[in-house]
Amino acid sequence: IFLLAAVSTDAQDDVIAKYLELLLEKYQPPGAFCVRDAPLAAFGLGRPSALVVDCGARSSKVTPVYEGYSLFSSTTVSYE
């Protein structure tokens, strides 16, 4: 069983690496892949490009996705 982990669009690379390391040590899958949540949301709707709006209890985030890649320079986050 391979492991697919969805991580936040604004998560830092060192945090993602630590998260993946913990998952690999605990579950020992033959393979694992981390992907940002915004492209997953776009692909879930069958679109490789989209404007993903994530509204939560404490923050809202708007992330443009173009051809499966999150455009980090254009991501906007609003807290409370």
Side-chain angles (χ1 to χ4, degrees):
I1 296 173
F2 289 89
L3 184 67
L4 175 66
V7 295
S8 177
T9 302
D10 54 353
Q12 297 174 353
D13 290 338
D14 58 338
V15 174
I16 295 171
K18 184 66 174 174
Y19 176 66
L20 187 57
E21 180 183 347
L22 291 172
L23 288 174
L24 289 173
E25 288 175 358
K26 181 169 181 163
Y27 297 109
Q28 299 178 351
F33 184 71
C34 281
V35 66
R36 306 284 180 170
D37 58 357
L40 278 180
F43 287 146
L45 294 172
R47 302 280 185 167
S49 300
L51 185 62
V52 178
V53 180
D54 181 13
C55 296
R58 296 181 185 228
S59 67
S60 297
K61 182 172 36 179
V62 179
T63 306
V65 176
Y66 180 72
E67 296 297 324
Y69 292 97
S70 297
L71 303 178
F72 299 113
S73 61
S74 301
T75 298
T76 303
V77 180
S78 173
Y79 298 99
E80 294 185 38

Coordinates of all heavy atoms in Angstrom, one line a residue:
I1 N 0.9 -1.2 0.0 CA 0.0 0.0 0.0 C 0.9 1.2 0.0 O 1.7 1.4 0.9 CB -0.9 0.0 1.2 CG1 -1.9 -1.2 1.2 CG2 -1.7 1.3 1.3 CD1 -2.7 -1.3 2.4
F2 N 0.7 2.1 -1.0 CA 1.4 3.3 -1.1 C 0.7 4.4 -0.3 O -0.5 4.3 0.0 CB 1.6 3.8 -2.5 CG 2.6 2.9 -3.3 CD1 2.1 1.8 -3.9 CD2 3.9 3.2 -3.3 CE1 3.0 0.9 -4.6 CE2 4.8 2.4 -4.0 CZ 4.4 1.3 -4.6
L3 N 1.5 5.4 0.1 CA 0.9 6.5 1.0 C 0.9 7.8 0.2 O 1.9 8.2 -0.4 CB 1.8 6.6 2.2 CG 1.4 7.6 3.3 CD1 0.2 7.1 4.0 CD2 2.5 7.7 4.3
L4 N -0.3 8.4 0.2 CA -0.4 9.7 -0.4 C -0.8 10.7 0.7 O -1.8 10.5 1.4 CB -1.5 9.7 -1.4 CG -1.9 11.1 -2.0 CD1 -0.7 11.6 -2.9 CD2 -3.1 11.0 -2.9
A5 N 0.0 11.7 1.0 CA -0.2 12.7 2.0 C -0.5 14.1 1.4 O 0.3 14.6 0.6 CB 1.0 12.8 3.0
A6 N -1.6 14.6 1.8 CA -2.0 16.0 1.3 C -1.5 17.0 2.4 O -1.7 16.8 3.6 CB -3.5 16.1 1.2
V7 N -0.7 18.0 2.0 CA -0.2 19.0 2.9 C -0.7 20.4 2.5 O -1.0 20.6 1.3 CB 1.4 19.0 2.9 CG1 1.9 17.7 3.5 CG2 2.0 19.2 1.6
S8 N -0.7 21.3 3.4 CA -1.2 22.6 3.2 C -0.3 23.3 2.1 O 0.9 23.1 2.0 CB -1.1 23.4 4.5 OG -1.5 24.8 4.2
T9 N -0.9 24.2 1.4 CA -0.2 24.9 0.3 C 0.9 25.8 0.9 O 1.9 26.0 0.3 CB -1.2 25.8 -0.5 OG1 -2.2 24.9 -1.0 CG2 -0.5 26.5 -1.6
D10 N 0.7 26.4 2.1 CA 1.6 27.3 2.6 C 2.6 26.6 3.6 O 3.3 27.3 4.3 CB 1.0 28.5 3.3 CG -0.1 28.1 4.3 OD1 -0.4 26.9 4.4 OD2 -0.6 29.0 5.0
A11 N 2.6 25.3 3.7 CA 3.5 24.5 4.5 C 5.0 24.7 4.0 O 5.2 24.6 2.8 CB 3.1 23.1 4.6
Q12 N 5.9 24.8 5.0 CA 7.3 24.9 4.6 C 7.9 23.6 4.3 O 7.4 22.5 4.8 CB 8.1 25.6 5.7 CG 7.6 27.0 6.0 CD 8.3 27.6 7.3 OE1 9.0 26.9 8.0 NE2 8.0 28.8 7.5
D13 N 8.9 23.6 3.4 CA 9.5 22.3 2.9 C 10.1 21.5 4.1 O 10.0 20.3 4.0 CB 10.5 22.6 1.9 CG 9.9 23.1 0.6 OD1 8.7 22.8 0.3 OD2 10.6 23.7 -0.2
D14 N 10.7 22.1 5.1 CA 11.3 21.4 6.1 C 10.3 20.7 7.0 O 10.5 19.6 7.5 CB 12.3 22.2 7.0 CG 11.5 23.5 7.6 OD1 10.5 23.9 7.1 OD2 12.1 24.0 8.6
V15 N 9.1 21.3 7.2 CA 8.0 20.7 7.9 C 7.4 19.5 7.2 O 7.1 18.5 7.7 CB 6.9 21.8 8.2 CG1 5.7 21.1 8.8 CG2 7.4 22.9 9.0
I16 N 7.3 19.7 5.9 CA 6.8 18.6 5.0 C 7.8 17.4 5.1 O 7.4 16.2 5.2 CB 6.6 19.0 3.6 CG1 5.5 20.1 3.5 CG2 6.3 17.9 2.7 CD1 5.4 20.7 2.2
A17 N 9.1 17.7 5.0 CA 10.1 16.6 5.1 C 10.0 15.8 6.4 O 10.1 14.6 6.5 CB 11.5 17.2 4.9
K18 N 9.8 16.6 7.5 CA 9.7 15.9 8.8 C 8.4 15.1 8.9 O 8.4 14.0 9.5 CB 9.7 17.0 9.9 CG 9.7 16.5 11.3 CD 10.9 15.7 11.6 CE 11.0 15.3 13.1 NZ 12.1 14.4 13.4
Y19 N 7.3 15.6 8.4 CA 6.1 14.9 8.4 C 6.2 13.6 7.6 O 5.7 12.6 8.0 CB 5.0 15.8 7.8 CG 3.6 15.3 7.6 CD1 2.9 14.9 8.6 CD2 3.1 15.1 6.3 CE1 1.6 14.3 8.5 CE2 1.9 14.6 6.1 CZ 1.1 14.2 7.2 OH -0.1 13.7 7.0
L20 N 6.8 13.7 6.4 CA 7.0 12.5 5.6 C 7.9 11.5 6.3 O 7.6 10.3 6.2 CB 7.5 12.9 4.2 CG 7.6 11.8 3.2 CD1 6.3 11.2 2.9 CD2 8.2 12.4 1.9
E21 N 8.9 12.0 6.9 CA 9.8 11.1 7.7 C 9.1 10.3 8.8 O 9.3 9.1 8.9 CB 11.0 11.9 8.3 CG 12.0 11.1 9.1 CD 13.1 11.9 9.7 OE1 13.2 13.1 9.3 OE2 13.8 11.4 10.5
L22 N 8.3 11.0 9.5 CA 7.5 10.4 10.6 C 6.5 9.3 10.0 O 6.4 8.2 10.5 CB 6.7 11.4 11.4 CG 7.6 12.3 12.2 CD1 6.7 13.4 12.8 CD2 8.2 11.5 13.3
L23 N 5.9 9.6 8.9 CA 4.9 8.7 8.3 C 5.7 7.4 7.8 O 5.2 6.3 7.9 CB 4.2 9.3 7.1 CG 3.1 10.4 7.5 CD1 2.6 11.0 6.2 CD2 2.0 9.7 8.3
L24 N 6.8 7.6 7.2 CA 7.6 6.5 6.6 C 8.1 5.6 7.8 O 8.1 4.4 7.6 CB 8.8 7.0 5.8 CG 8.4 7.6 4.5 CD1 9.6 8.2 3.8 CD2 7.8 6.6 3.5
E25 N 8.6 6.2 8.9 CA 9.0 5.4 10.0 C 7.9 4.6 10.7 O 8.1 3.5 11.1 CB 9.7 6.3 11.0 CG 11.1 6.8 10.6 CD 11.7 7.8 11.6 OE1 11.0 8.1 12.6 OE2 12.8 8.3 11.3
K26 N 6.8 5.2 10.8 CA 5.7 4.6 11.5 C 5.0 3.5 10.7 O 4.8 2.4 11.1 CB 4.6 5.6 12.0 CG 3.5 4.9 12.7 CD 2.6 5.9 13.4 CE 1.5 5.2 14.1 NZ 0.9 6.0 15.1
Y27 N 4.6 3.8 9.4 CA 3.9 2.8 8.6 C 4.7 2.0 7.7 O 4.2 1.0 7.1 CB 2.8 3.6 7.8 CG 1.8 4.3 8.8 CD1 1.8 5.7 8.9 CD2 0.9 3.5 9.5 CE1 0.9 6.3 9.8 CE2 0.0 4.2 10.4 CZ 0.0 5.5 10.5 OH -0.9 6.1 11.3
Q28 N 5.9 2.4 7.4 CA 6.8 1.7 6.5 C 6.2 1.3 5.2 O 6.3 0.1 4.8 CB 7.4 0.5 7.2 CG 8.2 0.9 8.5 CD 8.7 -0.3 9.3 OE1 8.4 -1.4 9.0 NE2 9.5 0.0 10.2
P29 N 5.6 2.2 4.4 CA 5.1 1.8 3.1 C 6.2 1.7 2.1 O 7.3 2.2 2.3 CB 4.2 3.1 2.8 CG 4.9 4.2 3.4 CD 5.5 3.6 4.7
P30 N 5.9 0.9 1.0 CA 6.9 0.8 0.0 C 7.2 2.1 -0.8 O 8.2 2.3 -1.4 CB 6.4 -0.3 -0.9 CG 4.9 -0.3 -0.7 CD 4.7 0.2 0.7
G31 N 6.2 3.0 -0.7 CA 6.4 4.3 -1.4 C 5.5 5.3 -0.8 O 4.4 5.0 -0.2
A32 N 5.8 6.6 -0.9 CA 5.0 7.7 -0.4 C 5.2 8.9 -1.2 O 6.2 9.1 -1.9 CB 5.4 8.0 1.1
F33 N 4.1 9.8 -1.2 CA 4.2 11.0 -2.1 C 3.4 12.1 -1.3 O 2.3 11.8 -0.8 CB 3.5 10.7 -3.4 CG 3.6 11.9 -4.3 CD1 4.7 12.2 -4.9 CD2 2.4 12.6 -4.6 CE1 4.8 13.3 -5.8 CE2 2.5 13.6 -5.5 CZ 3.7 14.0 -6.1
C34 N 4.0 13.2 -1.2 CA 3.4 14.4 -0.6 C 2.9 15.3 -1.7 O 3.7 15.6 -2.6 CB 4.3 15.1 0.3 SG 4.5 14.4 1.9
V35 N 1.7 15.8 -1.6 CA 1.2 16.7 -2.6 C 0.5 17.9 -1.9 O -0.1 17.7 -0.9 CB 0.3 16.0 -3.7 CG1 -1.0 15.5 -3.0 CG2 0.0 16.9 -4.8
R36 N 0.5 19.0 -2.5 CA -0.2 20.2 -1.9 C -1.7 20.0 -2.1 O -2.2 19.4 -3.0 CB 0.2 21.5 -2.6 CG 1.7 21.7 -2.7 CD 2.3 22.1 -1.4 NE 3.7 22.3 -1.4 CZ 4.4 22.9 -0.5 NH1 3.8 23.3 0.6 NH2 5.7 23.1 -0.6
D37 N -2.5 20.6 -1.1 CA -3.9 20.4 -1.1 C -4.6 21.1 -2.2 O -5.7 20.7 -2.7 CB -4.5 20.7 0.2 CG -4.2 22.1 0.7 OD1 -3.5 22.9 0.0 OD2 -4.7 22.5 1.8
A38 N -4.1 22.3 -2.7 CA -4.8 23.0 -3.7 C -4.9 22.3 -5.1 O -6.0 22.2 -5.7 CB -4.2 24.4 -3.9
P39 N -3.8 21.7 -5.5 CA -3.9 21.0 -6.8 C -4.7 19.7 -6.6 O -5.4 19.3 -7.6 CB -2.4 20.6 -7.1 CG -1.6 21.6 -6.4 CD -2.4 21.9 -5.2
L40 N -4.8 19.1 -5.5 CA -5.6 18.0 -5.2 C -7.1 18.4 -5.4 O -7.9 17.6 -5.9 CB -5.4 17.3 -3.9 CG -4.2 16.4 -3.7 CD1 -4.1 15.9 -2.3 CD2 -4.4 15.2 -4.7
A41 N -7.4 19.5 -4.8 CA -8.8 20.0 -4.9 C -9.2 20.3 -6.4 O -10.3 19.9 -6.8 CB -9.0 21.3 -4.1
A42 N -8.3 20.8 -7.1 CA -8.6 21.1 -8.5 C -8.7 19.8 -9.3 O -9.6 19.7 -10.1 CB -7.4 22.0 -9.1
F43 N -7.8 18.9 -9.1 CA -7.9 17.6 -9.8 C -9.1 16.8 -9.4 O -9.7 16.0 -10.2 CB -6.6 16.7 -9.5 CG -5.4 17.2 -10.2 CD1 -4.2 17.1 -9.6 CD2 -5.5 17.8 -11.5 CE1 -3.0 17.5 -10.3 CE2 -4.3 18.2 -12.1 CZ -3.1 18.1 -11.5
G44 N -9.6 17.0 -8.2 CA -10.8 16.3 -7.7 C -12.0 16.8 -8.5 O -13.0 16.0 -8.6
L45 N -12.0 18.0 -9.0 CA -13.0 18.5 -9.9 C -12.8 18.3 -11.4 O -13.5 18.7 -12.2 CB -13.3 20.0 -9.6 CG -13.8 20.3 -8.2 CD1 -13.7 21.8 -8.0 CD2 -15.1 19.7 -8.0
G46 N -11.7 17.6 -11.7 CA -11.3 17.3 -13.1 C -10.7 18.5 -13.8 O -10.8 18.5 -15.0
R47 N -10.2 19.4 -13.1 CA -9.6 20.6 -13.7 C -8.1 20.7 -13.3 O -7.7 20.7 -12.2 CB -10.2 21.9 -13.1 CG -11.7 22.0 -13.3 CD -12.0 22.4 -14.7 NE -13.4 22.6 -14.9 CZ -13.9 23.2 -15.9 NH1 -13.1 23.7 -16.8 NH2 -15.2 23.4 -16.0
P48 N -7.2 20.8 -14.3 CA -5.8 21.0 -14.0 C -5.5 22.4 -13.6 O -4.5 22.7 -12.9 CB -5.1 20.6 -15.3 CG -6.1 20.9 -16.4 CD -7.4 20.6 -15.7
S49 N -6.3 23.4 -14.0 CA -6.1 24.8 -13.6 C -7.4 25.3 -12.9 O -8.5 25.0 -13.4 CB -5.9 25.6 -14.8 OG -4.7 25.2 -15.5
A50 N -7.3 26.0 -11.8 CA -8.4 26.4 -11.1 C -8.0 27.5 -10.1 O -6.8 27.7 -9.8 CB -9.1 25.3 -10.3
L51 N -8.9 28.2 -9.5 CA -8.7 29.1 -8.4 C -9.4 28.5 -7.2 O -10.6 28.4 -7.1 CB -9.4 30.5 -8.7 CG -9.1 31.6 -7.6 CD1 -7.6 31.9 -7.6 CD2 -9.9 32.8 -8.0
V52 N -8.5 28.0 -6.3 CA -9.0 27.2 -5.1 C -9.2 28.1 -4.0 O -8.2 28.8 -3.6 CB -8.0 26.0 -4.8 CG1 -8.5 25.3 -3.6 CG2 -7.8 25.1 -6.0
V53 N -10.4 28.1 -3.4 CA -10.7 29.0 -2.2 C -10.9 28.0 -1.0 O -11.8 27.2 -1.1 CB -11.9 29.8 -2.5 CG1 -12.2 30.7 -1.2 CG2 -11.7 30.7 -3.7
D54 N -10.1 28.2 0.0 CA -10.2 27.3 1.2 C -10.7 28.2 2.4 O -9.9 29.0 2.8 CB -8.9 26.7 1.5 CG -8.9 25.7 2.7 OD1 -10.0 25.4 3.2 OD2 -7.8 25.3 3.1
C55 N -11.9 28.0 2.8 CA -12.4 28.8 3.9 C -12.5 27.9 5.2 O -13.2 26.9 5.2 CB -13.8 29.3 3.6 SG -13.8 30.5 2.2
G56 N -11.8 28.3 6.2 CA -11.8 27.6 7.5 C -12.3 28.5 8.6 O -12.8 29.6 8.4
A57 N -12.2 27.9 9.8 CA -12.7 28.6 11.0 C -11.9 29.8 11.4 O -12.4 30.8 11.8 CB -12.8 27.7 12.2
R58 N -10.6 29.7 11.1 CA -9.6 30.8 11.5 C -9.0 31.5 10.4 O -8.4 32.6 10.6 CB -8.5 30.2 12.4 CG -9.1 29.6 13.7 CD -8.0 29.1 14.6 NE -8.6 28.5 15.7 CZ -8.2 28.7 16.9 NH1 -7.2 29.5 17.2 NH2 -8.8 28.1 17.9
S59 N -9.0 31.0 9.2 CA -8.4 31.7 8.1 C -9.1 31.3 6.8 O -9.8 30.3 6.7 CB -6.9 31.3 8.0 OG -6.7 30.0 7.7
S60 N -8.8 32.1 5.8 CA -9.2 31.8 4.4 C -8.0 31.9 3.5 O -7.2 32.7 3.7 CB -10.3 32.8 3.9 OG -11.5 32.7 4.7
K61 N -8.0 31.0 2.5 CA -6.8 31.0 1.6 C -7.3 30.9 0.2 O -8.1 30.0 -0.1 CB -5.9 29.8 2.0 CG -4.7 29.7 1.3 CD -3.7 28.6 1.8 CE -4.5 27.4 2.4 NZ -3.7 26.4 2.9
V62 N -6.7 31.7 -0.7 CA -7.0 31.6 -2.1 C -5.7 31.3 -2.8 O -4.7 32.0 -2.7 CB -7.6 32.9 -2.6 CG1 -7.9 32.9 -4.1 CG2 -8.8 33.3 -1.9
T63 N -5.7 30.1 -3.6 CA -4.5 29.7 -4.3 C -4.9 29.4 -5.8 O -5.7 28.6 -6.1 CB -4.0 28.4 -3.6 OG1 -3.8 28.6 -2.3 CG2 -2.7 27.9 -4.3
P64 N -4.2 30.1 -6.7 CA -4.3 29.8 -8.1 C -3.5 28.5 -8.4 O -2.4 28.3 -7.9 CB -3.8 31.0 -8.8 CG -2.9 31.7 -7.8 CD -3.4 31.3 -6.5
V65 N -4.1 27.6 -9.2 CA -3.4 26.4 -9.6 C -3.4 26.4 -11.2 O -4.5 26.6 -11.8 CB -4.2 25.1 -9.1 CG1 -3.5 23.9 -9.7 CG2 -4.2 25.1 -7.6
Y66 N -2.2 26.3 -11.7 CA -2.1 26.3 -13.2 C -1.4 25.0 -13.6 O -0.3 24.8 -13.2 CB -1.3 27.5 -13.7 CG -1.1 27.6 -15.2 CD1 -2.2 27.9 -16.0 CD2 0.1 27.3 -15.8 CE1 -2.1 27.9 -17.3 CE2 0.2 27.3 -17.1 CZ -0.9 27.6 -17.9 OH -0.7 27.6 -19.3
E67 N -2.1 24.2 -14.4 CA -1.6 23.0 -15.0 C -1.0 22.1 -13.9 O 0.0 21.4 -14.0 CB -0.5 23.2 -16.0 CG -1.0 23.9 -17.3 CD -2.1 23.1 -18.0 OE1 -2.0 21.9 -18.1 OE2 -3.0 23.8 -18.5
G68 N -1.7 22.0 -12.7 CA -1.3 21.1 -11.6 C -0.3 21.7 -10.6 O 0.0 21.0 -9.7
Y69 N 0.1 22.9 -10.8 CA 1.1 23.5 -9.9 C 0.5 24.7 -9.2 O -0.2 25.6 -9.8 CB 2.3 24.1 -10.7 CG 3.2 22.9 -11.3 CD1 3.0 22.6 -12.6 CD2 4.1 22.3 -10.5 CE1 3.7 21.5 -13.2 CE2 4.8 21.2 -11.1 CZ 4.6 20.9 -12.4 OH 5.4 19.9 -12.9
S70 N 0.7 24.8 -7.9 CA 0.2 25.9 -7.1 C 1.2 27.1 -7.4 O 2.4 27.0 -7.4 CB 0.3 25.6 -5.6 OG -0.5 24.5 -5.3
L71 N 0.6 28.3 -7.6 CA 1.3 29.5 -7.8 C 1.5 30.2 -6.5 O 0.6 31.0 -6.0 CB 0.6 30.4 -8.8 CG 0.3 29.7 -10.2 CD1 -0.4 30.7 -11.1 CD2 1.6 29.3 -10.8
F72 N 2.6 29.9 -5.8 CA 2.8 30.3 -4.4 C 2.9 31.9 -4.3 O 2.4 32.5 -3.3 CB 4.1 29.7 -3.8 CG 4.0 28.2 -3.7 CD1 4.9 27.5 -4.5 CD2 3.1 27.6 -2.9 CE1 4.8 26.1 -4.4 CE2 3.1 26.2 -2.8 CZ 3.9 25.5 -3.6
S73 N 3.4 32.5 -5.3 CA 3.6 34.0 -5.3 C 2.3 34.7 -5.3 O 2.2 35.8 -4.9 CB 4.5 34.4 -6.4 OG 3.9 34.1 -7.7
S74 N 1.2 34.0 -5.8 CA -0.1 34.6 -5.9 C -1.1 34.1 -4.8 O -2.2 34.5 -4.8 CB -0.7 34.3 -7.2 OG 0.1 34.9 -8.3
T75 N -0.6 33.3 -3.9 CA -1.5 32.8 -2.8 C -1.7 33.8 -1.8 O -0.8 34.6 -1.4 CB -0.8 31.5 -2.2 OG1 -0.7 30.5 -3.1 CG2 -1.7 31.0 -1.0
T76 N -3.0 34.0 -1.4 CA -3.4 35.0 -0.4 C -4.0 34.3 0.8 O -4.9 33.5 0.6 CB -4.4 36.0 -1.0 OG1 -3.8 36.6 -2.2 CG2 -4.8 37.1 -0.1
V77 N -3.6 34.7 2.0 CA -4.1 34.1 3.2 C -4.6 35.2 4.1 O -4.0 36.3 4.2 CB -3.0 33.3 4.0 CG1 -3.6 32.8 5.3 CG2 -2.4 32.2 3.1
S78 N -5.8 35.1 4.6 CA -6.4 36.1 5.5 C -6.8 35.4 6.8 O -7.4 34.3 6.9 CB -7.7 36.6 4.9 OG -8.4 37.4 5.8
Y79 N -6.3 35.9 7.9 CA -6.5 35.4 9.3 C -7.6 36.2 10.0 O -7.4 37.5 10.0 CB -5.2 35.3 10.1 CG -4.2 34.5 9.5 CD1 -3.2 35.0 8.7 CD2 -4.3 33.1 9.7 CE1 -2.2 34.1 8.2 CE2 -3.3 32.2 9.1 CZ -2.3 32.8 8.4 OH -1.3 32.0 7.8
E80 N -8.6 35.6 10.5 CA -9.7 36.2 11.3 C -9.9 37.6 10.8 O -10.0 38.6 11.2 CB -9.4 36.2 12.8 CG -9.4 34.7 13.3 CD -9.2 34.7 14.8 OE1 -9.7 35.5 15.5 OE2 -8.5 33.8 15.2

